[in-house]
Amino acid sequence: MTAPDPATIRAARERAGLTQTQAGAAIGRSLRVWQAYEGGTREIDPLLWQVWLIRAGMADPASILIA
């Protein structure tokens, strides 16, 4: 599992209809941290990204389980 690039993070947030503040809050992160993810100055942990996708309704919760 690899971390998504900033463009992917932004596109997913926009597709979910969330502000950066809402997106960060969904995984317990601040607006500044989310801005850093989208700006490419900080990499989101791939597992945390999976959690965010699940919380945003964009992934099946089972996707986080080890097969």
Side-chain angles (χ1 to χ4, degrees):
M1 188 180 328
T2 60
D5 62 81
T8 300
I9 295 170
R10 181 178 180 163
R13 175 184 59 79
E14 289 175 345
R15 200 169 41 248
L18 299 173
T19 65
Q20 290 178 322
T21 300
Q22 292 168 324
I27 53 171
R29 299 299 184 262
S30 68
L31 168 62
R32 284 188 176 254
V33 170
W34 192 268
Q35 288 172 330
Y37 293 154
E38 287 191 15
T41 58
R42 186 170 183 167
E43 189 174 273
I44 190 169
D45 179 272
L47 184 57
L48 188 58
W49 177 243
Q50 278 299 113
V51 170
W52 186 86
L53 290 172
I54 291 166
R55 303 266 338 249
M58 303 175 106
D60 179 1
S63 68
I64 207 164
L65 301 175
I66 297 173

